């Protein structure tokens, strides 16, 4: 089946590595045909294709057709079904993006059985025909972790495939990296109903444009303690590493910068703590109780309640220790004196 709208190479480079991706791309191409023929969005996809054709040679952001909507799908991995959706923000002034940010965003979500969601966003136009090679040049990306308790983001740039760069972040996370972003991601894995979002905000950028974007975006939105970037972005970040004697010169490659940040964390271990995401989670009683119940040598919420009940009935600490099967009388004593487990009611 020949695709009518989508560029297969750009889709395979930028979209999440789903099972049966080629089949999903074909189905999504068919859905875009329905959107194009819809009474409200009539001709939208054709207009995006025309914008791609007539804007070649310009910066990516200048090529985007100003239309405030998201188009995409959610893949339900439990039910093995795909739900397609158009989010027409232009219809609702309270939801509308600023004119300078308006574009058609492709959204692709995966929903897991435990309620966790993982979404990928990017300008839809770069997935369509007539765009050119969307994997060329530098990419500016944003990763976000959202739970009921908190939301924090990390911004970065790469010249390589952005999903390969994401895989590298995940590998560092799994192997015990103490970088703030990796620690936040690792600690969030113990939760349910978490949403992970990865968005391409600019593509086909030059090095200078990407570095300028990163410096501005990190300073404005994602520098700790408000976000998960440990150092400033762009040139300011390179100067930061040099000023702290991590590097012997300012101008280094992005790969050298990654190693330098790891060295900065090694020399300053407390800079990665506290994790702001987890700090917020600890304020949530449900999270606190789940962690307490999962740890060895700690009391479960039921044990704490039983200790208090038995003490109220006049049992002594030794008898309570045997009955509740805790480590020692000190654990019982600390509960009864209010030194521990104050949030268990």
């Amino acid at each position: 089946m020949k695709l009518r709208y989508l560029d297969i190479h750009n889709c395979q480079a930028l979209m999440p590595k789903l099972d049966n991706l080629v089949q999903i791309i074909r189905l999504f191409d068919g859905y875009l045909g329905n959107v194009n023929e819809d009474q409200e969005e009539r001709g939208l996809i054709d207009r995006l294709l025309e914008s791609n054709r007539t804007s070649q040679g310009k910066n990516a952001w200048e090529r985007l057709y100003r239309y405030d909507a998201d188009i995409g799908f959610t893949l339900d991995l439990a039910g093995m079904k795909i739900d397609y959706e158009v989010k027409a923000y232009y219809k609702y002034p309270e939801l509308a993006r600023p004119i300078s940010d308006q574009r058609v965003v492709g959204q692709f979500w995966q929903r897991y059985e435990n309620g966790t969601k993982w979404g990928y966003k990017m300008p839809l136009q770069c997935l369509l025909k007539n765009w050119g090679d969307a994997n060329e040049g530098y990419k500016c990306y944003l990763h976000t972790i959202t739970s009921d308790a908190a939301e924090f983001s990390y911004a970065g740039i790469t010249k390589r495939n952005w999903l390969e760069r994401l895989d590298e972040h995940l590998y560092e996370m799994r192997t015990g990296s103490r970088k703030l972003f990796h620690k936040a991601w690792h600690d969030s894995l113990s939760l349910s109903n978490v949403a992970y979002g990865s968005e391409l905000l600019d593509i086909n950028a030059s090095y200078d444009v990407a570095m300028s974007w990163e410096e501005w975006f990190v300073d404005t939105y994602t520098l700790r303690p408000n976000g998960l970037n440990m150092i400033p972005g762009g040139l300011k970040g390179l100067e930061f590493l040099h000023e702290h004697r991590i590097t012997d010169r300012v101008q280094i490659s992005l790969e050298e910068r990654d190693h330098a940040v790891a060295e900065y964390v090694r020399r300053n271990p407390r800079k990665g703590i506290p994790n702001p995401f987890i700090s917020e989670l600890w304020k949530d009683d449900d999270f606190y109780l789940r962690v307490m119940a999962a740890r060895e040598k700690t009391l479960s919420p039921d044990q704490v309640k039983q200790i208090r009940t038995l003490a109220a009935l006049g049992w002594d600490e030794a008898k309570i220790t045997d009955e509740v099967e805790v480590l020692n009388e000190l654990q019982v004593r600390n509960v009864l004196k209010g030194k521990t487990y104050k949030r268990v009611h």
Side-chain angles (χ1 to χ4, degrees):
M1 174 183 173
K2 185 177 180 180
L3 298 176
R4 183 176 179 183
Y5 302 106
L6 293 169
D7 181 307
I8 186 65
H9 300 292
N10 286 348
C11 288
Q12 290 179 318
L14 301 184
M15 290 179 66
K17 306 304 181 186
L18 305 170
D19 292 335
N20 303 315
L21 178 60
V22 173
Q23 180 182 355
I24 290 173
I25 290 171
R26 288 173 176 166
L27 292 171
F28 186 52
D29 190 76
Y31 176 69
L32 293 180
N34 296 336
V35 173
N36 198 56
E37 297 172 4
D38 182 79
Q39 188 65 38
E40 293 186 326
E41 316 296 343
R42 184 174 297 278
L44 172 60
I45 309 304
D46 286 336
R47 297 198 299 275
L48 297 181
L49 288 170
E50 179 64 12
S51 178
N52 282 359
R53 187 185 67 81
T54 59
S55 64
Q56 292 183 16
K58 296 182 178 180
N59 292 330
W61 195 257
E62 297 174 327
R63 300 184 65 184
L64 300 181
Y65 185 74
R66 299 305 168 189
Y67 194 87
D68 200 14
D70 292 355
I71 302 175
F73 60 77
T74 297
L75 177 61
D76 188 332
L77 297 177
M80 294 308 297
K81 64 177 183 177
I82 300 179
D83 296 320
Y84 299 96
E85 183 179 19
V86 175
K87 296 181 179 179
Y89 298 121
Y90 64 85
K91 293 182 179 179
Y92 309 98
E94 68 276 13
L95 299 177
R97 290 181 277 237
I99 293 177
S100 60
D101 287 342
Q102 290 182 4
R103 73 270 192 207
V104 180
V105 176
Q107 285 202 33
F108 312 105
W109 288 89
Q110 301 172 75
R111 184 188 298 116
Y112 297 85
E113 292 186 19
N114 68 348
T116 297
K117 295 178 65 178
W118 196 334
Y120 301 80
K121 302 179 184 179
M122 62 207 67
L124 182 63
Q125 277 179 248
C126 66
L127 300 178
L128 300 179
K129 294 179 178 181
N130 299 333
W131 180 270
D133 185 358
N135 206 34
E136 187 178 83
Y138 287 84
K139 298 92 185 165
C140 304
Y141 59 83
L142 179 71
H143 298 306
T144 302
I145 307 171
T146 306
S147 76
D148 294 336
E151 176 177 296
F152 288 97
S153 299
Y154 172 89
I157 63 174
T158 184
K159 190 176 183 181
R160 293 171 293 126
N161 182 283
W162 81 299
L163 295 178
E164 290 179 3
R165 182 68 187 112
L166 175 59
D167 286 342
E168 291 173 352
H169 281 303
L170 296 179
Y171 174 79
E172 289 187 72
M173 175 269 293
R174 289 192 294 268
T175 53
S177 167
R178 291 178 61 83
K179 294 177 183 177
L180 199 54
F181 172 46
H182 302 150
K183 192 172 189 311
W185 196 303
H186 178 272
D187 290 343
S188 71
L189 295 177
S190 63
L191 308 175
S192 58
N193 297 315
V194 176
Y196 300 97
S198 299
E199 182 170 7
L200 267 180
L201 294 174
D202 199 6
I203 64 170
N204 299 140
S206 67
Y207 174 79
D208 289 340
V209 167
M211 289 288 280
S212 295
W213 173 88
E214 187 186 54
E215 183 173 321
W216 165 77
F217 197 94
V218 171
D219 266 1
T220 306
Y221 299 108
T222 64
L223 186 61
R224 61 168 300 178
N226 299 318
L228 300 175
N229 285 84
M230 297 187 65
I231 69 169
L235 179 59
K236 185 183 289 188
L238 301 185
E239 293 172 342
F240 175 93
L241 292 169
H242 182 60
E243 290 168 1
H244 284 74
R245 301 181 183 277
I246 305 297
T247 59
D248 60 2
R249 64 194 187 283
V250 172
Q251 295 298 335
I252 59 175
S253 69
L254 294 182
E255 288 74 17
E256 289 173 314
R257 183 178 69 170
D258 290 338
H259 293 301
V261 173
E263 177 62 15
Y264 173 72
V265 175
R266 189 190 69 80
R267 295 187 194 179
N268 303 275
R270 299 300 301 178
K271 296 294 185 182
I273 304 172
N275 182 326
F277 182 71
I278 298 303
S279 294
E280 289 298 317
L281 289 175
W282 276 113
K283 299 175 185 177
D284 180 79
D285 288 339
D286 289 338
F287 175 76
Y288 170 82
L289 293 176
R290 287 199 300 274
V291 173
M292 288 297 101
R295 287 181 173 175
E296 295 182 2
K297 299 182 180 181
T298 61
L299 304 179
S300 70
D302 287 341
Q303 285 178 306
V304 174
K305 294 174 184 178
Q306 189 178 5
I307 288 172
R308 291 172 180 157
T309 299
L310 295 177
L313 293 175
W315 288 39
D316 61 36
E317 292 174 358
K319 191 174 180 182
I320 293 175
T321 299
D322 292 337
E323 178 67 21
V324 183
E325 297 182 347
V326 299
L327 289 176
N328 49 52
E329 293 181 26
L330 180 61
Q331 274 192 315
V332 173
R333 189 176 308 124
N334 286 338
V335 169
L336 297 178
K337 289 185 177 182
K339 291 183 177 181
T340 56
Y341 302 95
K342 294 178 182 179
R343 293 167 62 180
V344 177
H345 301 292

